[in-house]
């Protein structure tokens, strides 16, 4: 029995969709982790300075690093929740990864914007 032409078209379309989704995931992941690298470095250095500084209180020694860590760790945690939700709905890995990566990208903007505001308004 011969394959019909529609089967070949569906196969090509599925391949093109997977390629597009894969490129979307790769590009958004690189961009989001690039956005997170700056705040992670600055917040890490600030936290280290706060912890090792002799003139700070015990509260600021604990609270500042925890807040900065939460700002940087929140985007990957949110992306994981969205990815697992997509997998529970029965989607393929790549189809579930696209909303997760876009969530990662969108939530990476928040720490980056916070860093920009700190830099702009710092004395």
């Amino acid at each position: 029995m011969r394959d019909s032409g529609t089967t070949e078209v569906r196969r090509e379309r599925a391949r093109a969709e997977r390629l597009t989704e894969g490129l979307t995931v790769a590009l958004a992941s690189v961009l989001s982790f690039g956005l997170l690298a700056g705040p992670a470095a600055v917040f890490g250095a600030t936290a280290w300075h706060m912890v090792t500084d002799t003139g700070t209180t015990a509260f600021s020694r604990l609270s500042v690093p925890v807040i900065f860590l939460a700002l940087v760790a929140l985007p990957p945690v949110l992306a994981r929740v969205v990815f697992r939700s997509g997998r529970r709905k029965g989607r393929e890995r790549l189809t579930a990864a696209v909303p997760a990566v876009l969530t990662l990208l969108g939530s990476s903007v928040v720490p980056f914007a916070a860093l920009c505001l700190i830099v702009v308004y710092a004395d």
Side-chain angles (χ1 to χ4, degrees), residues 33-58:
F33 285 120
L35 285 172
L36 282 175
V42 171
F43 292 160
T46 303
W48 179 257
H49 179 67
M50 290 294 289
V51 168
T52 59
D53 193 22
T54 57
T56 58
T57 64

Side-chain angles (χ1 to χ4, degrees), residues 3-48:
D3 274 343
S4 65
T6 57
T7 305
E8 187 65 32
V9 170
R10 285 184 193 149
R11 196 174 301 141
E12 282 298 317
R13 184 173 178 200
R15 181 183 295 164
E17 287 175 357
R18 285 194 311 268
L19 179 64
T20 304
E21 287 175 347
L23 288 174
T24 302
V25 168
L27 183 65
S29 295
V30 168
L31 187 58
S32 67
F33 285 120
L35 285 172
L36 282 175
V42 171
F43 292 160
T46 303
W48 179 257

Side-chain angles (χ1 to χ4, degrees), residues 25-113:
V25 168
L27 183 65
S29 295
V30 168
L31 187 58
S32 67
F33 285 120
L35 285 172
L36 282 175
V42 171
F43 292 160
T46 303
W48 179 257
H49 179 67
M50 290 294 289
V51 168
T52 59
D53 193 22
T54 57
T56 58
T57 64
F59 177 75
S60 64
R61 286 185 185 195
L62 288 175
S63 65
V64 172
V66 169
I67 291 170
F68 291 157
L69 179 65
L71 274 175
V72 175
L74 188 62
V77 169
L78 287 175
R80 183 169 190 256
V81 168
V82 170
F83 178 72
R84 293 190 73 168
S85 171
R87 290 292 289 163
R88 273 189 230 115
K89 291 179 182 176
R91 296 182 183 153
E92 294 178 14
R93 288 184 83 72
L94 197 53
T95 305
V98 172
V101 169
L102 294 177
T103 301
L104 178 64
L105 180 62
S107 59
S108 298
V109 172
V110 174
F112 187 74

